[in-house]
Amino acid sequence: MPTDTSRVAFLSLILAGVLALSVEALALTLSEPTVALWMLPTHVGVGGPLVLLGAAMGVVVARSWAGLWKERAPAPLTMVAGLVSAPALLGAWIAVATLVTLKLDGRIATPWMGALLGALLSAVAAGAILAMSSPLVLLVRRLLARVTKHPVGRFILRAALWVPALLAGGALVALIMPLVGPGALKVLPWSYVATGCAGLAVLPLSWKLLSARPALKTPLMRALPTSLVLLSVFALMMPRAIERARSSFSDKPAVASHLYSALAGPLDFDEDGALSLYAGGDCAPFDASRGPHQVETPNDGVDQNCSGADLAFDVADFSPGPRRVEPPEGIHRRPNMILVTTDALSFPHTSAGGYERDTTPHLAAWAERATVYETAFSIATSTRLAMPGLIASKMNSQMRMLDRRGHPYPYPSDEVTLGTMLRDAGYRTVHIPGERYFTRWRTHALGFEEFDTRAYKSTDENGHNSPALTERAIEIIEEHDDDRPLAIWVHYFDHHGPYTIPEGAKTFGKGKSSMERFESELWFADQSWGRLFEAVEARWEPEEYVMLFTADHGEAFDANHQRHHHGYNIFTRPLHVPLIIQAPFGRGQRIEGLAGHIDVLPTLANLLDLEPREDWLGESLVPSLVAGTPPQKDVIHSLFYIPEAAKRGEETFEMIGTRTDDFYYFDDRKNGVRRLIRWRDDPLDAHDVSKEDPERAEIFRYITGQRLQWLREREEALTPFAKDAEKANE
């Protein structure tokens, strides 16, 4: 093969790889708010070694195929050699396509999107296998050349008739394979598609251009490999000062991120979960006791967490509030309990929270007859991760879970929850779920003896059932004549995505954007909430009931949530939820200060004069309800904990946050991003003030690290089951 052609092959592959990685980085920039355009060169640099290796292998492949076709041999013999080799090549392709499909299984929710991605990756695999197949075809052809010297052997030449059938069979397999298990698919990583399409499109164009225009093989073009090497070295040695660039290649659906993940293990010399390379921030790469994930010990003269200095401060400034006070007068010792929750609603998106559009007029009117906590927070931004805070005053990591094939994981029957507490206190407990998800995960309502699904089953084709849920709840409330007090929990789901405007609902704006459709669904659900509030107030005297309204987590439509409107992060907006309590005292109050789901269980237990549990994280809001004072806690935490990661031997604590009245510090441990935010003035959590106030940032980092260590020591979830599974597989 001519040397010039080898150079064309090498430069074509490098150019195609660089452009493909650039397209991938651009796709991430459009879909991930944490990835900025200036990070593009770093992303390309991380994937650079893969491009260089691929280009070198491409030259070998090109030489191999050129040698195959340069040999003079009868055309039928070449066709038959390819045909005989085809089963082995097809088998290899099917194996790769199957592995690809299994890897996709459980990650993409929309079937046609899963099929698109599976088809693309299967096509890439087919191209790679075909490119590397020339030695096999050459070997088979030489063997056939000897066989066909005999009369019997020449009969094999007629096998050319099998080619159409083989092509048809391969096409059928290509259509079927990506559709295996589409129901379990979850999130389409568009950057994969963009990268694959860019590489497939650019490679033949680059080859054709460089072959047809020799003048393009200039010193500048020849400098491309050297530039890529230098860029790769820079990415490897990237200074920590620009560690934000890590978000372009860490934990993203990207080719570069997979290469980084493969390198991260071998490059983590002390196995402390942090690298000294790629701006990983490990100041002691061979000392596991020192690293960015370690907890700092104040006043010991050692910089354990690689912040640059030891830490000194008084931890007493970050204390929890009391879990119990003397029960108040003026309320029955066993009042009826009405818990009204809804899915995916941020407090600032409600009329009661000051939203510019009147999305929840009935909730706002009722809130004037109740106590509104202006700054209340969920512990997490997705239902299964947030619910433990509401029902158990715990983080998700503290809940014991029973291992199942998929999440959400059930809790054991002896777990203490809101439902079991009320049941054991002598209540008739009723739960009315608003979506099928909760009928599959019944232990979120553990202790609720009546699990009423008849209203849910009347859901219309677009998922709207708030009128039916409300009718059923009012029916139970009005017909309740049990000697026991009633505890009823109604969970609404109308305005959870995907969003469609219900018939008869108010239209906001043009009604076309996701947010506008969400607001119409929210307004529609609010009509039902108003009827439920009125029914409760008409049924009992003020001292005979407590009614509480909240959301499991928030919903956001900002720059941080362009694709996923909740989940996948711990930003302020999807954590900020409504928390409104109507009791016989404190009506009409609006209270500042930190509150949250973790306070619900201690508060209700306090009203019932029950002893709190030691593992509850929240405080009793009874003093706040009675006297109108702010909650007494100085800090509240958020957590993004993935229990099933333990089954894969991966890190379960991915993100953790610490919030005070003014500041919010979050540690995105998986992406290596840490920020200190003035959250009241920064709704997008975008402006990091760590450099402006480094001492405060270090204090928050310590408090967050302490809480993380505390949670690790009390981790329950699936960890024991994962260990058992590992032993069983040994």
Side-chain angles (χ1 to χ4, degrees):
M1 182 181 187
T3 304
D4 189 60
T5 308
S6 297
R7 187 180 300 114
V8 169
F10 188 67
L11 291 176
S12 298
L13 287 162
I14 286 185
L15 183 60
V18 169
L19 290 176
L21 287 173
S22 300
V23 168
E24 179 176 74
L26 286 172
L28 289 173
T29 301
L30 296 174
S31 62
E32 300 281 352
T34 58
V35 180
L37 190 62
W38 64 266
M39 300 176 183
L40 189 150
T42 302
H43 185 95
V44 175
V46 174
L50 193 62
V51 174
L52 290 166
L53 178 62
M57 293 180 64
V59 172
V60 175
V61 170
R63 282 182 174 274
S64 177
W65 275 104
L68 174 64
W69 294 110
K70 279 176 62 178
E71 290 190 9
R72 298 192 176 277
L77 189 61
T78 301
M79 182 179 295
V80 174
L83 186 61
V84 173
S85 305
L89 300 176
L90 182 63
W93 176 73
I94 290 176
V96 172
T98 302
L99 289 174
V100 167
T101 304
L102 291 175
K103 287 292 184 181
L104 289 176
D105 189 28
R107 299 186 180 183
I108 304 176
T110 310
W112 73 265
M113 289 183 175
L116 172 64
L117 182 57
L120 175 64
L121 295 179
S122 298
V124 171
I129 291 171
L130 184 63
M132 301 297 291
S133 64
S134 58
L136 176 63
V137 177
L138 181 59
L139 176 63
V140 172
R141 194 176 72 178
R142 288 179 177 175
L143 291 174
L144 288 176
R146 294 189 178 185
V147 172
T148 53
K149 291 179 180 179
H150 304 281
V152 176
R154 283 193 289 272
F155 180 76
I156 299 175
L157 291 176
R158 297 186 180 180
L161 298 175
W162 303 342
V163 172
L166 196 62
L167 290 175
L172 182 62
V173 173
L175 290 172
I176 294 175
M177 289 304 300
L179 298 175
V180 174
L185 302 178
K186 188 177 179 183
V187 178
L188 176 66
W190 284 105
S191 59
Y192 279 146
V193 178
T195 306
C197 291
L200 290 174
V202 172
L203 180 56
L205 293 176
S206 301
W207 184 292
K208 187 71 175 176
L209 185 65
L210 289 169
S211 299
R213 304 289 295 275
L216 292 175
K217 296 191 283 291
T218 61
L220 182 62
M221 185 62 71
R222 294 171 185 171
L224 185 61
T226 304
S227 302
L228 189 58
V229 169
L230 293 176
L231 194 59
S232 301
V233 171
F234 169 78
L236 183 69
M237 308 301 295
M238 184 170 55
R240 192 176 181 186
I242 58 172
E243 67 176 355
R244 263 198 70 202
R246 282 167 53 92
S247 65
S248 71
F249 58 81
S250 61
D251 191 38
K252 293 291 186 295
V255 174
S257 69
H258 285 301
L259 180 64
Y260 171 74
S261 298
L263 294 173
L267 295 178
D268 184 9
F269 307 117
D270 53 7
E271 298 182 350
D272 63 351
L275 304 182
S276 59
L277 306 170
Y278 292 108
D282 193 347
C283 59
F286 300 99
D287 182 0
S289 65
R290 297 181 60 205
H293 296 324
Q294 299 303 320
V295 177
E296 184 74 9
T297 302
N299 308 312
D300 69 343
V302 179
D303 178 20
Q304 284 94 353
N305 64 1
C306 295
S307 64
D310 188 28
L311 182 66
F313 82 105
D314 187 358
V315 297
D317 293 337
F318 297 81
S319 60
R323 286 196 293 264
R324 186 181 186 279
V325 298
E326 282 299 314
E329 300 295 331
I331 186 172
H332 286 190
R333 285 281 68 89
R334 290 293 182 271
N336 296 283
M337 297 286 184
I338 301 90
L339 179 62
V340 183
T341 59
T342 192
D343 221 286
L345 176 60
S346 294
F347 183 59
H349 218 125
T350 67
S351 302
Y355 189 55
E356 58 189 16
R357 291 172 171 171
D358 197 11
T359 52
T360 57
H362 293 92
L363 180 65
W366 173 72
E368 294 178 358
R369 308 189 296 272
T371 299
V372 179
Y373 288 89
E374 302 271 12
T375 49
F377 297 92
S378 172
I379 62 168
T381 57
S382 70
T383 300
R384 70 181 180 111
L385 308 184
M387 200 61 79
L390 179 64
I391 67 170
S393 190
K394 292 180 181 180
M395 292 295 185
N396 191 38
S397 61
Q398 296 174 268
M399 298 293 288
R400 290 177 296 136
M401 301 177 187
L402 303 177
D403 191 19
R404 294 293 185 270
R405 184 175 181 180
H407 61 73
Y409 300 102
Y411 307 131
S413 59
D414 60 344
E415 187 71 51
V416 176
T417 66
L418 172 65
T420 62
M421 181 189 77
L422 294 173
R423 179 199 63 197
D424 295 345
Y427 279 80
R428 174 195 175 193
T429 53
V430 182
H431 178 54
I432 305 177
E435 216 277 332
R436 180 170 174 259
Y437 178 88
F438 299 99
T439 65
R440 294 187 290 108
W441 184 38
R442 293 196 173 212
T443 55
H444 80 284
L446 195 65
F448 284 86
E449 297 173 317
E450 298 178 42
F451 199 93
D452 198 316
T453 60
R454 68 185 73 179
Y456 148 69
K457 291 178 179 177
S458 67
T459 302
D460 68 20
E461 61 182 6
N462 292 319
H464 303 130
N465 57 22
S466 56
L469 295 178
T470 302
E471 287 291 344
R472 181 58 185 147
I474 292 175
E475 181 182 345
I476 291 172
I477 289 169
E478 292 180 345
E479 294 179 356
H480 176 70
D481 60 357
D482 201 309
D483 292 336
R484 299 172 296 171
L486 176 65
I488 183 171
W489 176 11
V490 189
H491 185 77
Y492 291 88
F493 205 80
D494 276 11
H495 47 84
H496 189 286
Y499 317 110
T500 55
I501 299 178
E503 184 177 351
K506 181 178 179 180
T507 301
F508 292 89
K510 296 182 179 180
K512 294 183 178 180
S513 70
S514 294
M515 186 179 75
E516 290 169 342
R517 297 196 304 273
F518 166 83
E519 289 169 353
S520 291
E521 291 180 317
L522 182 55
W523 183 92
F524 182 76
D526 177 76
Q527 309 305 301
S528 294
W529 300 341
R531 293 176 51 232
L532 180 57
F533 298 149
E534 291 175 359
V536 171
E537 292 175 324
R539 176 69 172 80
W540 291 297
E541 296 298 324
E543 65 274 9
E544 295 179 330
Y545 73 91
V546 173
M547 183 157 49
L548 183 149
F549 180 93
T550 189
D552 59 347
H553 54 76
E555 193 84 333
F557 300 87
D558 52 36
N560 292 330
H561 303 88
Q562 295 177 349
R563 288 181 61 200
H564 307 293
H565 301 295
H566 65 262
Y568 305 100
N569 60 56
I570 51 173
F571 287 122
T572 294
R573 185 154 297 172
L575 286 171
H576 190 182
V577 294
L579 180 60
I580 307 173
I581 303 176
Q582 189 180 53
F585 27 73
R587 296 193 172 195
Q589 298 179 149
R590 297 183 77 94
I591 297 176
E592 288 284 352
L594 297 176
H597 284 169
I598 58 171
D599 302 325
V600 170
L601 200 53
T603 300
L604 297 184
N606 201 165
L607 289 173
L608 300 181
D609 198 16
L610 301 175
E611 289 295 323
R613 289 177 58 89
E614 287 296 323
D615 55 0
W616 288 354
L617 299 179
E619 70 170 290
S620 170
L621 298 179
V622 167
S624 177
L625 284 169
V626 174
T629 56
Q632 298 180 46
K633 68 174 73 64
D634 296 313
V635 64
I636 193 169
H637 296 280
S638 50
L639 182 68
F640 193 79
Y641 173 90
I642 303 298
E644 59 269 23
K647 300 167 68 175
R648 303 189 295 265
E650 299 174 358
E651 173 62 272
T652 49
F653 293 90
E654 294 191 4
M655 306 175 196
I656 185 169
T658 298
R659 190 183 307 274
T660 62
D661 272 340
D662 300 313
F663 291 91
Y664 180 44
Y665 176 88
F666 65 84
D667 182 359
D668 183 346
R669 306 180 69 254
K670 196 161 188 178
N671 294 321
V673 176
R674 302 178 187 85
R675 293 183 198 169
L676 179 66
I677 310 295
R678 293 183 182 272
W679 62 270
R680 291 182 182 272
D681 304 322
D682 186 1
L684 294 181
D685 296 340
H687 183 54
D688 184 7
V689 299
S690 297
K691 293 182 179 179
E692 302 169 18
D693 196 348
E695 184 176 357
R696 189 186 304 274
E698 199 54 38
I699 291 173
F700 271 79
R701 188 178 180 187
Y702 171 77
I703 293 297
T704 305
Q706 285 280 69
R707 174 54 61 173
L708 178 61
Q709 181 175 336
W710 186 89
L711 288 170
R712 283 194 186 280
E713 293 170 354
R714 292 158 180 79
E715 184 179 14
E716 294 284 353
L718 293 178
T719 305
F721 300 99
K723 291 177 180 177
D724 291 342
E726 290 173 3
K727 291 177 182 178
N729 291 331
E730 291 178 356

